[in-house]
């Protein structure tokens, strides 16, 4: 029963650690660690592998040195990296030699060179003067490897070292005795009341770890401190007068607690992200499948293209060869006919033989009948002999094909520009009453024929599917987004059956309320002397002109001038509304917010003396203090902007824990008015983060209100202007 239970326990261990084999494999020998040592770069390596690396490094250095110093040997080119490394090796070797000359007995098997390339990170690491002897043995890793080996050989039992034959299966391994025991032998060899009864024992094992970790620098001292600079355990002698004398150290218990907490947090974080890891694994597996299919498709396309090229070449080859054959046959025919013609000029052959027979004719009338024609033929033959010209030339130079240009073109056959991953343009992409997402392609890549924009809302449900919209443009406008929600966007391109990777995801937040459309009112309270509107009525500019200087001239002490107000052309009487705008960075003093029609009548139709030192239009009280606290809500609220800063009044309820009242000026500012609840909030419209919120007394009609002093410019959000103008044109 005990044996069965132990095997079941081993099976459980096997299931628990079967997936960590890659962490237990030596990067040098690619096998499970055997007596692993910790290198200065914090990677691990087997003891035997490290010795082999040292020997190989020494042999490489010896070979290079001997070849370079041998007379008549070919010159060896060494890169600067190799030279630097050899210099390091030589210095290390000289240090070892100097230590040897001082009388320390060095093992003949110990290499002189102590600098190696770590097989884990491929960086050169210096083992120091003590070499292998100065490295820590990774006992924890060794124990984990042993547990893994036990799980792997669960069916193989470790026998008792003290049983008489036949030996029984061991149940314990004593770390002090370095032996394995069955239950009976363990009791016999570790009787109660003796020192052996206090020995440390573990489950059956063939690996015997040291009971206490000793300092490699001071072999008789236990490590009891942790150096935070070198990040390694040290003993008290290392701290008192050794290499760690001036280093910051902590107790081993503190280091254990700190490192264990960090490791626990890291493991907990990874475990909490298990679903995300699985999703990413699934995505990677999908990419693997796509890579395989796309690779096969690309190979088929390349083969098809070369087959087309082969067919074209074969057609041209057939045409050229046929042309040469036809020319050859025609020339041969002409030359053969000319040969036959000239053979007739020989004696007793052809024309000459025929003429000789004609000369034998004695009848004058018959001779004269054929002699004239024969004379003409002989005369032509005589003339042809005088001006001999072959009927055809044997050369085929006109059929020579110059393939140099084609060979260059074929040699330059390469992959065309690949489809590159599109990149979403953050400056042009934004969300307002609609979402406009824009993206760009790298200039040195092929253009995609179409794109698919994917988006989804982010909330606690991570299983929300991506919505997809196809377009042939490099931008898309979305209208079906929920208010006060964060969305994630990404895009990929298509060209035929080929697609690009998905772009990097961007996050954008929708407004907290429906967008309120309005323009600047150029009639109610508009001061044409100080303010200037553009033709679209969406930009107002304050000009610090002569009138402002004349007003300041009348004030001897201080200058309290009037703010120039301008409001929206549309009011609010119910519901929640949001609008945004931007303030130029050069603006000196700008106030933005909301105000009721009653308060606006007071501001716009009852001007105050510009030299009054008691009038402050921001607070609504005759206190002259910007930081006055409000005991009750007012029918208006205005926030101050100036000198590239956004100022939060003391009376506001700042969102979050920050107490800093001066914030950097956002490039886009948003205002959200809840008329029914009597609240107004100021937002960074780029990420829809609430900067602060306060109560406001919503009486009558509430208007977007703006005030400027000195030079300054306000731009209403462009989308608002475009929608409002379209709506006005339809009316």
């Amino acid at each position: 029963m005990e044996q069965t239970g132990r095997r079941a326990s081993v099976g459980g261990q096997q299931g628990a650690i079967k997936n960590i084999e890659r962490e237990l494999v030596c990067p040098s020998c690619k096998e499970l660690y055997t007596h692993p040592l910790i290198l200065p770069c914090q990677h691990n390596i087997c003891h035997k592998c490290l010795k082999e690396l040292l020997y190989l490094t020494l042999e490489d250095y010896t070979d290079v040195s001997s070849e370079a110093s041998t007379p008549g040997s070919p010159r060896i080119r060494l890169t600067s990296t190799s030279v630097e490394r050899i210099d390091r090796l030589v210095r290390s070797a000289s240090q070892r030699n100097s230590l040897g000359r001082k009388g320390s007995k060095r093992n003949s098997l110990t290499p002189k060179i102590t600098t190696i390339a770590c097989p884990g990170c491929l960086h050169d690491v210096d083992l120091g003067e003590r070499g292998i002897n100065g490295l820590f043995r990774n006992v924890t890793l060794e124990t984990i490897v042993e547990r893994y080996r036990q799980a792997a050989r669960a069916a193989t039992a470790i026998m008792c070292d003290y049983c008489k034959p036949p030996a029984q299966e061991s149940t314990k391994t004593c770390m002090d005795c370095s032996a394995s025991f069955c239950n009976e032998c363990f009791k016999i060899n570790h009787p109660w009341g003796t020192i052996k009864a206090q020995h440390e024992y573990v489950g059956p094992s063939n690996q015997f770890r040291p009971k206490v970790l000793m300092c490699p620098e001071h072999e008789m001292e236990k490590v009891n401190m942790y150096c935070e600079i070198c990040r390694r355990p040290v003993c008290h002698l290392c701290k008192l007068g050794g290499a760690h004398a001036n280093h910051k150290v902590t107790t081993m218990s503190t280091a254990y607690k700190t490192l264990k907490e960090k490791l626990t947090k890291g493991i907990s974080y990874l475990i909490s992200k298990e679903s995300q890891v699985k999703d990413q694994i699934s995505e990677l597996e999908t990419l693997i499948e796509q890579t395989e299919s796309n690779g096969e498709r690309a190979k088929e396309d390349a083969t098809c293209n070369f087959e087309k090229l082969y067919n074209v070449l074969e057609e041209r080859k057939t045409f050229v060869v046929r042309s040469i054959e036809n020319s050859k046959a025609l020339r041969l025919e002409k030359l053969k006919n000319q040969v036959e013609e000239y053979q007739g000029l020989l004696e007793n052959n052809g024309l000459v033989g025929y003429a000789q027979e004609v000369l034998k004719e004695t009848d004058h009338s018959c001779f004269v009948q054929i002699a004239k024609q024969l004379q003409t033929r002989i005369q032509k033959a005589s003339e042809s002999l005088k001006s001999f010209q072959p009927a055809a030339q044997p050369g085929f130079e006109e059929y020579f094909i110059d393939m140099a240009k084609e060979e260059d073109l074929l040699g330059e056959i390469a992959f065309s520009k690949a489809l590159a991953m599109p990149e979403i343009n953050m400056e042009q992409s934004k969300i307002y009453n609609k979402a406009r997402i824009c993206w760009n392609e790298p200039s040195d890549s092929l253009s995609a024929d179409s794109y698919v924009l994917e988006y989804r809302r982010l909330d606690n449900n991570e299983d929300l599917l991506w919505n997809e919209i196809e377009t042939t443009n490099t931008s898309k406008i979305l209208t079906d987004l929920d208010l006060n929600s964060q969305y994630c966007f990404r895009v990929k391109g298509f060209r035929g059956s080929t697609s690009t990777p998905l772009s990097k995801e961007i996050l954008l937040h929708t407004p907290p309320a429906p967008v309120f459309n309005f323009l600047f009112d150029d009639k109610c309270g508009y001061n044409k002397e100080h303010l200037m509107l553009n033709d679209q009525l969406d930009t107002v500019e304050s000009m610090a002109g002569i009138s402002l200087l004349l007003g300041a001239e009348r004030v001897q002490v201080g200058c309290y001038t009037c703010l120039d107000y301008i409001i929206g052309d549309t009011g609010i009487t119910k519901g929640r509304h949001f609008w945004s705008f931007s303030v130029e960075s050069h603006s000196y003093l700008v106030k933005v917010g909301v105000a009721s029609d009653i308060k606006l009548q007071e501001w716009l139709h009852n001007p105050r003396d510009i030299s009054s030192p008691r009038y402050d239009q921001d607070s609504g009280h005759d206190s002259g203090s910007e930081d006055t606290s409000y005991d009750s809500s007012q029918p208006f609220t205005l926030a101050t902007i100036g000198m590239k800063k956004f100022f939060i009044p003391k009376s506001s309820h700042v969102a979050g824990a920050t107490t800093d009242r001066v914030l950097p000026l956002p490039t886009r500012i948003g205002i959200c008015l809840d008329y029914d609840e009597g609240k107004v909030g100021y937002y960074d419209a780029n990420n829809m983060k609430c900067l602060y919120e306060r109560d406001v007394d919503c009486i009558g009609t509430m208007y977007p209100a703006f005030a400027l002093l000195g030079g300054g410019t306000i731009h209403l959000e462009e989308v608002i202007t475009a929608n409002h103008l379209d709506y006005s044109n339809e009316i």
Side-chain angles (χ1 to χ4, degrees):
M1 291 296 292
E2 182 179 357
Q3 180 177 351
T4 303
R6 191 183 68 79
R7 288 182 177 176
S9 175
V10 172
Q13 293 178 358
Q14 181 180 6
I17 65 174
K18 65 180 180 180
N19 295 323
I20 65 171
E21 181 176 357
R22 61 180 298 176
E23 301 292 336
L24 309 180
V25 174
C26 173
S28 180
C29 63
K30 307 301 180 183
E31 297 179 358
L32 294 177
Y33 284 109
T34 303
H35 304 301
L37 301 176
I38 304 176
L39 295 174
C41 59
Q42 300 304 307
H43 291 106
N44 297 283
I45 187 173
C46 297
H47 183 273
K48 60 181 180 61
C49 294
L50 180 56
K51 295 185 69 174
E52 292 174 358
L53 283 177
L54 285 170
Y55 281 122
L56 290 175
T57 305
L58 179 61
E59 289 176 0
D60 292 342
Y61 164 70
T62 304
D63 292 341
V64 171
S65 300
S66 59
E67 292 180 9
S69 59
T70 302
S73 62
R75 182 173 298 176
I76 300 176
R77 292 186 178 180
L78 297 176
T79 62
S80 60
T81 305
S82 301
V83 173
E84 292 176 359
R85 181 173 177 181
I86 289 177
D87 289 341
R88 289 198 301 269
L89 299 180
V90 171
R91 287 196 299 269
S92 179
S94 62
Q95 292 176 359
R96 298 281 299 173
N97 290 334
S98 63
L99 289 176
R101 286 192 295 267
K102 291 180 180 179
S104 59
K105 185 177 181 181
R106 186 178 66 233
N107 191 334
S108 60
L109 297 179
T110 303
K112 297 179 180 179
I113 295 177
T114 59
T115 300
I116 65 166
C118 171
C121 61
L122 303 181
H123 290 114
D124 288 347
V125 292
D126 190 356
L127 305 184
E129 296 179 355
R130 291 175 55 83
I132 295 179
N133 297 329
L135 300 179
F136 276 105
R137 182 176 171 184
N138 196 334
V139 178
T140 302
L141 177 59
E142 194 171 343
T143 303
I144 296 174
V145 170
E146 176 58 24
R147 287 205 299 264
Y148 180 85
R149 284 197 174 99
Q150 289 181 8
R153 59 171 184 262
T156 304
I158 298 176
M159 309 309 294
C160 177
D161 295 329
Y162 283 80
C163 279
K164 295 181 180 180
Q168 299 293 321
E169 185 177 348
S170 65
T171 59
K172 299 178 181 65
T173 295
C174 180
M175 305 307 295
D176 295 276
C177 300
S178 298
S180 298
F181 300 87
C182 64
N183 285 334
E184 294 299 327
C185 293
F186 186 82
K187 294 177 181 178
I188 295 173
N189 289 274
H190 299 79
W192 289 103
T194 63
I195 297 179
K196 286 189 175 183
Q198 301 177 3
H199 284 187
E200 178 185 1
Y201 64 90
V202 295
S205 173
N206 288 327
Q207 298 293 325
F208 304 101
R209 58 180 284 178
K211 190 172 182 180
V212 179
L213 196 62
M214 308 301 289
C215 176
E217 298 290 336
H218 309 91
E219 299 178 356
M220 302 303 296
E221 298 294 333
K222 302 177 182 178
V223 293
N224 52 8
M225 290 181 288
Y226 182 80
C227 178
E228 296 184 357
I229 304 299
C230 302
R231 297 182 179 180
R232 59 179 294 176
V234 296
C235 69
H236 69 283
L237 293 180
C238 293
K239 175 60 179 172
L240 290 177
H244 307 271
N246 298 323
H247 293 181
K248 182 180 180 181
V249 298
T250 184
T251 62
M252 193 64 71
S253 59
T254 302
Y256 171 82
K257 182 179 180 181
T258 302
L259 295 176
K260 190 170 186 178
E261 288 179 356
K262 291 182 179 180
L263 186 59
T264 302
K265 289 181 180 179
I267 295 173
S268 300
Y269 176 79
L270 293 177
I271 294 176
S272 66
K273 297 296 181 180
E274 184 174 357
S275 60
Q276 180 180 348
V277 173
K278 290 181 179 178
D279 293 340
Q280 293 174 351
I281 292 175
S282 300
E283 184 176 351
L284 291 174
E285 291 175 347
T286 303
L287 291 177
I288 291 174
E289 295 177 358
Q290 293 178 352
T291 301
E292 291 178 350
S293 60
N294 292 341
E296 291 298 325
R297 188 184 303 111
K299 187 167 65 174
E300 293 175 1
D301 293 343
T303 303
C304 181
N305 290 332
F306 276 99
E307 289 294 339
K308 292 179 181 179
L309 189 58
Y310 295 154
N311 294 335
V312 173
L313 291 174
E314 192 64 33
E315 291 178 1
R316 297 305 299 169
K317 174 185 175 183
T318 303
F319 171 77
V320 170
V321 171
R322 186 183 299 115
S323 300
I324 294 175
E325 288 291 341
N326 294 337
S327 178
K328 171 187 172 184
L330 182 61
R331 295 184 187 192
L332 289 175
E333 183 180 359
K334 290 181 179 180
L335 291 172
K336 288 179 180 179
N337 292 336
Q338 191 176 17
V339 169
E340 292 178 359
E341 182 180 350
Y342 274 82
Q343 284 179 348
L345 302 179
L346 299 176
E347 185 177 1
N348 299 324
N349 287 324
L351 179 62
V352 174
Y354 174 65
Q356 289 175 344
E357 293 297 326
V358 170
L359 290 175
K360 295 177 182 181
E361 179 63 46
T362 58
D363 188 340
H364 290 184
S365 59
C366 291
F367 178 81
V368 172
Q369 183 182 7
I370 63 172
K372 182 61 177 177
Q373 181 184 5
L374 185 60
Q375 175 63 26
T376 302
R377 291 179 61 189
I378 290 177
Q379 186 177 358
K380 288 183 178 180
S382 300
E383 291 177 356
S384 65
L385 289 175
K386 294 178 182 178
S387 59
F388 173 76
Q389 185 68 31
Q393 296 297 326
F396 283 80
E397 289 81 5
E398 65 271 24
Y399 289 94
F400 174 74
I401 301 177
D402 184 7
M403 300 292 292
K405 184 184 299 183
E406 287 73 11
E407 287 179 359
D408 292 340
L409 292 175
L410 291 174
E412 293 175 358
I413 290 179
F415 299 108
S416 60
K417 294 180 180 178
L419 285 176
M421 178 181 67
E423 182 178 358
I424 297 181
N425 191 324
M426 289 295 296
E427 294 182 358
Q428 298 181 4
S429 301
K430 64 179 179 180
I431 291 183
Y432 197 37
N433 56 336
K434 299 178 182 179
R436 184 181 67 192
I437 309 300
C438 305
W439 55 89
N440 302 322
E441 290 181 330
S443 58
D444 58 346
S445 66
L446 285 176
S447 297
D449 298 329
S450 61
Y451 304 90
V452 171
L453 176 63
E454 299 182 0
Y455 67 97
R456 69 176 178 181
R457 191 181 68 181
L458 299 181
D459 54 16
N460 295 330
N461 185 8
E462 297 182 357
D463 298 328
L464 284 177
L465 298 178
W466 290 89
N467 301 294
E468 295 184 353
I469 296 182
E470 186 174 355
T471 180
T472 57
N473 300 321
T474 56
S475 63
K476 188 66 179 177
I477 294 179
L478 307 176
T479 59
D480 57 346
L481 304 183
D482 297 332
L483 293 173
N484 199 23
S485 301
Q486 191 175 38
Y487 281 84
C488 181
F489 299 89
R490 63 188 186 185
V491 67
K492 62 180 177 180
F494 288 87
R495 187 182 180 91
S497 59
T498 306
S499 65
T500 69
L502 286 165
S503 68
K504 294 182 180 179
E505 300 176 359
I506 67 166
L507 301 179
L508 295 176
H509 204 289
T510 57
V515 171
F516 180 61
N517 295 346
F518 68 92
L519 296 175
F520 288 121
D521 193 337
D522 60 347
K523 298 178 178 60
C524 181
Y526 173 58
N527 189 340
K528 295 182 179 180
E529 295 182 0
H530 295 169
L531 302 179
M532 181 175 64
L533 283 171
N534 65 347
D535 296 336
Q536 291 76 26
L537 303 181
D538 63 353
T539 299
V540 61
E541 182 177 359
S542 173
M543 298 172 291
I546 298 298
S547 58
L548 181 62
L549 295 178
L550 293 176
E553 190 180 33
R554 299 198 299 269
V555 181
Q556 300 299 324
V557 180
C559 181
Y560 294 80
T561 59
C562 287
L563 292 168
D564 294 310
Y565 285 88
I566 189 168
I567 63 174
D569 61 355
T570 306
I572 299 172
T573 57
K574 63 178 180 180
R576 299 179 74 242
H577 303 274
F578 179 85
W579 61 92
S580 69
F581 51 90
S582 61
V583 177
E584 290 289 345
S585 59
H586 68 266
S587 301
Y588 176 69
L589 176 61
V590 175
K591 289 182 176 291
V592 296
V594 296
S596 67
D597 51 355
I598 300 174
K599 194 65 180 178
L600 288 172
Q601 289 179 5
E602 177 185 344
W603 288 346
L604 301 177
H605 299 292
N606 297 306
R608 304 296 182 91
D609 184 0
I610 63 172
S611 63
S612 173
R614 298 296 302 162
Y615 178 65
D616 180 12
Q617 301 202 38
D618 177 57
S619 65
H621 294 74
D622 208 16
S623 63
S625 174
E626 174 92 7
D627 299 329
T628 301
S629 298
Y630 298 94
D631 297 331
S632 61
S633 63
Q634 300 290 323
F636 73 95
T637 182
L638 295 172
T640 303
I641 296 172
M643 302 176 67
K644 301 180 182 181
K645 302 295 182 182
F646 183 91
F647 298 90
I648 299 178
K650 282 185 176 179
S651 57
S652 62
H653 302 289
V654 180
T658 179
T659 58
D660 190 1
R661 296 178 54 233
V662 180
L663 303 178
L665 177 64
T667 56
R668 296 168 57 216
I669 302 171
I671 296 179
C672 181
L673 174 64
D674 191 335
Y675 188 96
D676 301 330
E677 295 293 332
K679 291 185 179 296
V680 63
Y682 290 81
Y683 288 77
D684 182 344
N686 295 313
N687 52 26
M688 297 302 168
K689 177 183 178 182
C690 184
L691 302 178
Y692 85 91
E693 185 180 68
R694 61 152 299 165
D695 296 333
V696 63
D697 188 10
C698 295
I699 301 176
T701 303
M702 304 295 291
Y703 288 87
F706 305 85
L708 299 94
L709 175 64
T713 305
I714 301 174
H715 304 279
L716 295 181
E717 186 71 31
E718 181 180 356
V719 175
I720 293 178
T721 304
N723 288 347
H724 184 76
L725 290 177
D726 292 342
Y727 176 76
S728 300
N729 293 334
E730 293 177 2
I731 295 298

